[in-house]
Amino acid sequence: MLAHALEPFLSHPAIGEVALVIHRADRELLQDACPALPIQVRIVEGGATRQESVRLGLRALQAGQPSVVLIHDAARPFVSPALLDAVLADTDEGHGAIPAVPVSDTLKREAADGSIFETVPRAGLHAAQTPQAFPYAAILAAHEKAHDEGRSDFTDDAALAEWTHLPVRLVPGDPENTKITTKHDIEVAERRLASAELFPDVRTGAGYDVHAFEPGDAVVLCGVRIPHEAKLAGHSDADVGLHALTDALLATCGGTDIGTHFPPSDPQWRGAASRIFVEHAASLVREKGGRIASADVTLIAEAPKVGPHRPAMIAVMADMLGIEAERVSVKATTNERLGFVGRREGIAAIATVSVVYPGRLPPP
């Protein structure tokens, strides 16, 4: 549960640090569940109650001076990125925000003898969920005040905020953001996760690049030098195939584009081998847990002939990507003498890659 609950917080761009509050006896269990926690996770030993554990977790974040904090129960492992966006968007320095789902069941209050004492009107009633978001300084002060006054009876952080007159907005909750409490809940969650694994997070990235010819005696295509009557103009070695491949890799992990990482204005990349760009992009993919499944490059040129050099290109690309040669494809086509390619003014390339990332697809 903890590993699944952490996942959306660690990958959210607005979240810079996470305080993970656990019982002091559970460090070994944590190591088993999350063997490789990133640096932004701070492990905190909790207290005797949930409320005290939250207070200690909030205190642990003081050095970073956050403006907003999200407080989440690890017993809710199915929180979605969209729900994080919603509560963050409705939180500011004067208001908190919590997700809540309108109560749809008829509510009965029980009498001492087990019979119905009364039916409770459900109009306006909501079931509160987590994560609950607050201005950091205000919710920390509220927890410290409750601690100093010996109050430990608040059932959630929104109740504590209400006690200190901090306004809290309701945002639409997510019925899928269920809380695991009973053995049955665990069984349902396991079936849900097993079903989700049928839809792994497979991402496809595409890249396109073009370079014009200039006087020279060879071109570099997909890492292979080919003698030719001209060369391709560019700040680096102008390897149009590898430039397209770099952009395709970056597209799978939100890594912007090749120009952001290797700007043409930077003199250190003058004449650089484009292999550097591909290996950098592949390393970014792997840092995010991605596994490159396949790569395909199509070269669009009237000349030179690519066919004789295809095996060498595949071998070079497979090596720089760290995958088997059978997962790499290089194709070539002409432009039927149309356009700048048809006039032999340059070469274009289209690249496509497939990468499998950990986790699962977002919910529908």
Side-chain angles (χ1 to χ4, degrees), residues 326-340:
E326 65 182 18
R327 294 181 177 274
V328 178
S329 172
V330 176
K331 305 190 298 294
T333 186
T334 69
N335 223 35
E336 298 294 338
R337 299 184 180 180
L338 299 175
F340 73 92

Side-chain angles (χ1 to χ4, degrees), residues 217-235:
D217 60 1
V219 295
V220 180
L221 295 175
C222 295
V224 176
R225 187 178 187 275
I226 302 173
H228 189 54
E229 62 191 22
K231 70 174 184 175
L232 291 173
H235 187 64

Side-chain angles (χ1 to χ4, degrees), residues 21-29 43-48 53 56:
V21 187
I22 63 170
H23 191 281
R24 68 179 60 185
D26 289 341
R27 285 188 175 269
E28 187 174 335
L29 290 174
I43 308 301
V44 181
E45 288 188 0
S53 292
L56 294 172

Side-chain angles (χ1 to χ4, degrees), residues 101-135:
V101 178
V103 173
S104 57
D105 294 327
T106 298
L107 300 176
K108 304 292 184 181
R109 192 185 307 279
E110 183 183 5
D113 63 359
S115 63
I116 296 174
F117 175 72
E118 65 175 336
T119 298
V120 180
R122 66 190 181 200
L125 293 181
H126 291 73
Q129 298 181 331
T130 66
Q132 300 184 351
F134 306 94

Side-chain angles (χ1 to χ4, degrees), residues 329-360:
S329 172
V330 176
K331 305 190 298 294
T333 186
T334 69
N335 223 35
E336 298 294 338
R337 299 184 180 180
L338 299 175
F340 73 92
V341 171
R343 295 190 298 270
R344 299 191 177 215
E345 295 174 4
I347 297 177
I350 299 170
T352 305
V353 299
S354 294
V355 180
V356 182
Y357 284 89
R360 55 192 183 276

